[in-house]
Amino acid sequence: MTDKDIEAKVRELLALVLEKPIPAAQPVSRANEPKWDSLKHVELIFALEDTFGVRFSEQDMAGLDSIQSIVAALGRRHAA
Amino acid sequence: MRHDIHLQGPGFALRPVTETDSDFIIGLRTDPELGKFINASSPRREDQIAWMQKYYARAGDYYFLVTRHDGTPEGTIALYDVTGEGSDKRGEWGRWILKRGSMAAVESALLIYQAAFERLDLGMVYCRTVALNQPVVSFHTSCGLATFGIVPNNMIRDGKSYDAVEQRLMLTNWPAVRANLSTKAERLARHLPPPGNPARTKIGI
């Protein structure tokens, strides 16, 4: 799975969780998306874990605060 | 007021605050990021302890420390202005501050609602969030609270007034909210390091 594939899937999951479209290439983070609240963050983490077959540590979770950081974290796991 | 409500969830717990928590509370409330949407606090321990003495004397005010199961403090939360009788009994929750990066938001909300509906028998709980604090307003909506309206000039800080959004949870909606938050809190708790292990355990894939 390439980073591009991962990003497309992450955007799809984020759109489902936030119940709003996430256009390709639009940078999205918790800092600039008010609907990405603490409950939605948990829902997104679980959706990522179920979809990608990974498990994030508590420490990881707080850092997964943008599409970019999520793609990077998933990319590292797939490369490992 | 002095109270003795202790609640334990799958990953976190609530216990009454005491003067010994003063330094931790000051640290949270004076953090420029964490404290920007709450009433300003003094950084002096004497002031915090004086505030606590007034709090102890105030009826209908239940202030909690959010902790991990090993007792490590994670944040604060409170239920106050509890008034009324029977199904009209209601209270506001707030003073909600968690350490940066904390994953205790969902569970601490669950526990404060448990305190409200299952220990204090309230018929309704409301919260007033500074309207600019959109992620918290969104959090309450995501949890299932209904937006009641805007409270003008609800907070004055540094000479500037801020409107708040009032959101409410009725006892009748509590079972659905409880089920939703409980499911998430239980799964989230499986990601926490076991009690007694302060190192944030890295869980691999």
Side-chain angles (χ1 to χ4, degrees):
Chain A
M1 203 175 207
T2 65
D3 278 1
K4 203 171 173 181
D5 297 331
I6 293 172
E7 181 173 338
K9 194 68 193 169
V10 169
R11 285 181 182 276
E12 188 185 319
L13 293 173
L14 188 60
L16 277 172
V17 168
L18 300 187
E19 299 174 75
K20 63 180 284 186
I22 306 292
Q26 179 187 311
V28 182
S29 69
R30 291 190 71 179
N32 68 16
E33 175 47 69
K35 287 189 80 176
W36 190 342
D37 59 53
S38 298
L39 190 70
K40 296 295 184 189
H41 187 59
V42 169
E43 290 176 359
L44 177 65
I45 297 285
F46 294 163
L48 291 166
E49 289 186 336
D50 294 342
T51 302
F52 290 95
V54 299
R55 191 165 180 204
F56 295 109
S57 71
E58 182 191 18
Q59 203 170 30
D60 291 333
M61 288 183 195
L64 301 175
D65 57 1
S66 66
I67 289 181
Q68 192 180 19
S69 63
I70 293 169
V71 172
L74 290 169
R76 282 195 298 274
R77 279 164 167 73
H78 277 269
Chain B
M1 60 185 277
R2 292 187 192 273
H3 69 90
D4 192 32
I5 299 175
H6 292 73
L7 288 160
Q8 184 151 321
F12 298 95
L14 301 188
R15 67 154 172 85
V17 295
T18 69
E19 289 96 331
T20 58
D21 302 315
S22 294
D23 290 343
F24 175 73
I25 293 172
I26 289 167
L28 288 179
R29 295 188 66 91
T30 57
D31 182 298
E33 185 60 32
L34 298 177
K36 69 181 177 183
F37 290 121
I38 58 171
N39 289 305
S41 286
S42 164
R44 299 170 66 235
R45 187 189 291 172
E46 312 85 274
D47 293 339
Q48 174 63 26
I49 289 172
W51 188 95
M52 290 286 291
Q53 294 304 320
K54 287 182 187 165
Y55 153 73
Y56 287 142
R58 198 159 52 235
D61 192 331
Y62 303 82
Y63 198 8
F64 297 91
L65 203 74
V66 182
T67 70
R68 289 175 183 263
H69 285 174
D70 64 3
T72 306
E74 191 76 8
T76 61
I77 196 165
L79 193 56
Y80 44 88
D81 292 342
V82 173
T83 57
E85 294 293 330
S87 59
D88 287 334
K89 195 173 177 185
R90 59 182 58 192
E92 177 174 357
W93 79 269
R95 295 184 209 135
W96 188 35
I97 315 176
L98 300 171
K99 292 197 292 199
R100 289 177 189 238
S102 173
M103 295 303 294
V106 171
E107 197 170 323
S108 56
L110 171 69
L111 292 172
I112 201 71
Y113 289 129
Q114 275 186 267
F117 293 118
E118 298 176 11
R119 296 293 185 91
L120 299 171
D121 299 321
L122 302 196
M124 188 268 277
V125 177
Y126 62 97
C127 43
R128 291 175 176 170
T129 309
V130 172
L132 294 172
N133 194 358
Q134 291 180 24
V136 172
V137 174
S138 177
F139 175 82
H140 294 315
T141 303
S142 299
C143 286
L145 276 68
T147 297
F148 181 73
I150 299 291
V151 183
N153 307 318
N154 188 62
M155 184 180 86
I156 295 173
R157 182 168 174 153
D158 300 329
K160 194 174 170 190
S161 65
Y162 296 86
D163 294 348
V165 178
E166 181 171 316
Q167 293 166 288
R168 296 180 170 187
L169 179 61
M170 310 301 291
L171 175 60
T172 47
N173 299 115
W174 164 233
V177 172
R178 189 188 209 287
N180 180 29
L181 298 184
S182 292
T183 303
K184 293 180 173 77
E186 280 162 19
R187 179 166 172 178
L188 203 49
R190 295 199 287 271
H191 294 72
L192 304 178
N197 179 4
R200 299 289 172 88
T201 309
K202 193 94 170 172
I203 303 169
I205 59 173

